[in-house]
Amino acid sequence: MAEIVQDFQALPERERLQLLLEFSQGLRPLPAEFEGHLEKMERVDECQSPVFINVEVDADRAVHLHVSAPAEAPTTRGFAGVLQEGLDGLPAQEVLELPADVCHRLGLERAVSPLRMRGMTGMLARVKRQVRVATAA
Amino acid sequence: MSTPLDTDAKLSTYAHPEKLVTTQWLAQHLGEPGLVVVECDEDVLLWDTGHVPGSVKVDWHTELNDEVTRDYVDGEGFARLMSAKGISREDTVVLYGDKNNWWAAYALWVFTLFGHPDVRLLDGGRAKWIAEGRQISTDAPQRPATDYPVVERQDAAIRAFKEDVLAHVAAGDGRLVDVRSPQEYSGERTHMPDYPEEGTVRGGHIPGADSVPWARAAAEDGTFKSREELEAIYSGEKGLSPDDDVIAYCRIGERSSHTWFVLSQLLGFGKVRNYDGSWTEWGNAVRVPIVKGTEKGSLR
């Protein structure tokens, strides 16, 4: 995640949006068990589009994130893509310890507005909650 | 030289048919000199994923607003923006966008503040264009900079400020249209369903405002409903008359731009203002009255 933050920070503002677009295009398709079964996922109400997440913590306690976000909401898909790539395979404990303002460190507030950044922060908060539930047992 | 008008039968029933074009008209006229297509979306990356070929992107948030004053750009700022986008004062501008043209209607309203002579909305917006399988492109158009004149913004006719709304409410003879969802109107929520709750201190509506959610003006495919259907809602059901002094508002002024367009351009109401401060200002302002619940209420 820290590397992704550095990548964004290294770019001028206009190019940060381009990078976000690339993350949006890189969002992985849903695994078969969730395709067409959004009811098995958690809705992220903080996002301005219908976004659903599911967090898997594997036997090695590594985190994997699945996200459904519509193609006509590339900004939201971009946030999801950043989180998916940034968190994938991280130990659960590291995900829980991510600073709450990590989304704001991407430096996108001016370009995409604070309201939209709240959507991404909401997504991360829900990811952490699911990790907490999955690791509590 | 102005681009020909769309003579589509449905459009011809509206008060100002010259303010709309159909997707078919746009497909026929695309690329003609003197016509500039502008996409204005809520999602800032949407244009980059594919757009009407040759269209330029205008970002309402970073380009139409002044960064520090919570106001629109001034005449010089607008001239700079238009020049950079390659739009001249003589060009026909056709606006379209996502979310039923909310932001496109908002941009059209801002263009109107500067009196741009010929600005039109694509009926049905981005969604209809794509649903019809029409051409889209990811190429960024190369438009040479223009020499757009500095025109002073004229707010009075179509824009209302908080003080205007207060006077309007106190006088009691003007009409107010709240275009937000019923839940926002009653105060149950401070943002539309499915959106995060906003940091507005109070939920409710402006005293005396009628609730007409913006979406009631839109058909399934995102186009505007027929003139007859629109009249049944605004005049029949709510008793609004074309002579009324009407102010429309929502949360930040984008959904109410859509309703402003319906009342002023499609139904031909003579005096319609958009209160762009809307609920984010009214709901937080000190010593400003609100009404909670589903009754209109009034100050009188």
Side-chain angles (χ1 to χ4, degrees):
Chain A
M1 194 71 196
E3 273 174 40
I4 296 179
V5 169
Q6 276 173 12
D7 288 347
F8 272 94
Q9 290 291 348
L11 291 170
E13 207 160 66
R14 171 69 213 166
E15 289 166 37
R16 286 179 199 166
L17 277 182
Q18 278 305 316
L19 183 57
L20 190 65
L21 184 64
E22 284 165 29
F23 275 105
S24 140
Q25 289 155 346
L27 188 67
R28 288 196 301 268
L30 283 181
E33 60 167 317
F34 296 120
E35 197 57 66
H37 292 286
L38 293 179
E39 75 283 355
K40 292 185 183 170
M41 305 180 79
E42 180 179 351
R43 168 105 194 224
V44 183
D45 286 330
E46 291 83 356
C47 289
Q48 303 193 17
S49 315
V51 172
F52 297 83
I53 60 161
N54 178 270
V55 177
E56 192 191 320
V57 179
D58 66 20
D60 299 326
R61 295 177 83 80
V63 169
H64 306 282
L65 171 63
H66 309 298
V67 187
S68 163
E72 61 273 18
T75 303
T76 307
R77 281 182 69 87
F79 293 156
V82 166
L83 288 178
Q84 189 175 63
E85 192 173 321
L87 306 184
D88 198 56
L90 281 189
Q93 196 53 39
E94 266 186 47
V95 172
L96 292 177
E97 285 167 3
L98 276 175
D101 70 341
V102 68
C103 304
H104 291 266
R105 296 187 191 179
L106 299 172
L108 288 165
E109 272 94 348
R110 242 178 56 86
V112 308
S113 93
L115 177 65
R116 295 193 185 97
M117 290 311 299
R118 282 220 286 281
M120 189 181 186
T121 305
M123 219 183 296
L124 178 61
R126 283 163 194 264
V127 168
K128 284 190 183 184
R129 194 191 57 77
Q130 286 198 22
V131 170
R132 221 172 282 127
V133 170
T135 53
Chain B
M1 190 191 72
S2 169
T3 310
L5 297 181
D6 188 343
T7 54
D8 176 82
K10 175 202 165 197
L11 304 190
S12 68
T13 62
Y14 294 131
H16 294 283
E18 76 280 7
K19 292 306 221 182
L20 274 177
V21 299
T22 57
T23 47
Q24 195 188 349
W25 180 95
L26 184 58
Q28 278 166 1
H29 292 274
L30 211 54
E32 286 179 11
L35 171 68
V36 188
V37 184
V38 176
E39 175 160 345
C40 192
D41 296 317
E42 179 182 66
D43 193 302
V44 291
L45 285 177
L46 202 47
W47 179 88
D48 302 80
T49 66
H51 44 259
V52 172
S55 67
V56 294
K57 165 185 174 178
V58 167
D59 186 324
W60 65 275
H61 185 255
T62 56
E63 295 183 325
L64 295 179
N65 288 338
D66 182 277
E67 206 172 339
V68 292
T69 56
R70 192 174 174 181
D71 199 356
Y72 301 101
V73 289
D74 61 11
E76 283 178 9
F78 190 71
R80 253 196 318 272
L81 177 67
M82 293 299 99
S83 303
K85 300 287 174 185
I87 299 172
S88 77
R89 186 80 174 163
E90 294 73 36
D91 283 334
T92 295
V93 173
V94 170
L95 283 155
Y96 76 100
D98 64 353
K99 305 253 172 174
N100 291 284
N101 274 335
W102 284 358
W103 300 109
Y106 184 78
L108 184 141
W109 177 77
V110 174
F111 272 67
T112 308
L113 291 173
F114 292 98
H116 187 88
D118 188 2
V119 54
R120 314 178 193 178
L121 203 56
L122 175 67
D123 199 20
R126 181 182 165 95
K128 187 159 192 282
W129 181 269
I130 288 173
E132 290 170 345
R134 297 188 188 273
Q135 207 190 343
I136 59 166
S137 160
T138 50
D139 294 344
Q142 301 295 321
R143 299 190 60 83
T146 57
D147 189 16
Y148 198 94
V150 173
V151 181
E152 206 180 320
R153 209 179 65 222
Q154 300 288 335
D155 289 336
I158 61 168
R159 185 180 186 194
F161 295 98
K162 188 183 96 202
E163 293 69 28
D164 300 323
V165 182
L166 277 167
H168 194 72
V169 173
D173 51 4
R175 301 291 303 262
L176 279 157
V177 180
D178 183 317
V179 318
R180 298 172 303 159
S181 62
Q183 294 92 329
E184 291 169 276
Y185 180 84
S186 69
E188 187 189 323
R189 290 185 60 95
T190 56
H191 205 324
M192 56 195 121
D194 299 339
Y195 276 58
E197 292 286 326
E198 288 273 345
T200 315
V201 178
R202 301 167 304 165
H205 57 267
I206 301 178
D210 277 294
S211 168
V212 191
W214 71 272
R216 294 192 61 194
E220 282 279 301
D221 62 357
T223 56
F224 290 104
K225 283 183 179 163
S226 70
R227 180 158 188 175
E228 220 174 18
E229 289 171 302
L230 295 174
E231 278 172 348
I233 298 168
Y234 295 97
S235 301
E237 192 184 312
K238 299 297 175 189
L240 291 168
S241 140
D243 308 327
D244 282 337
D245 180 354
V246 186
I247 294 176
Y249 71 94
C250 59
R251 189 183 62 87
I252 53 172
E254 92 289 23
R255 286 173 286 174
S256 49
S257 298
H258 189 274
T259 298
W260 167 83
F261 187 86
V262 169
L263 293 174
S264 64
Q265 310 301 312
L266 303 186
L267 296 181
F269 280 44
K271 188 167 188 189
V272 186
R273 284 173 289 171
N274 181 22
Y275 170 37
D276 58 278
S278 276
W279 197 256
T280 52
E281 178 180 41
W282 194 272
N284 284 321
V286 176
R287 301 188 79 182
V288 158
I290 68 161
V291 175
K292 286 181 175 290
T294 54
E295 294 299 317
K296 276 166 68 165
S298 80
L299 276 190
R300 302 193 119 199

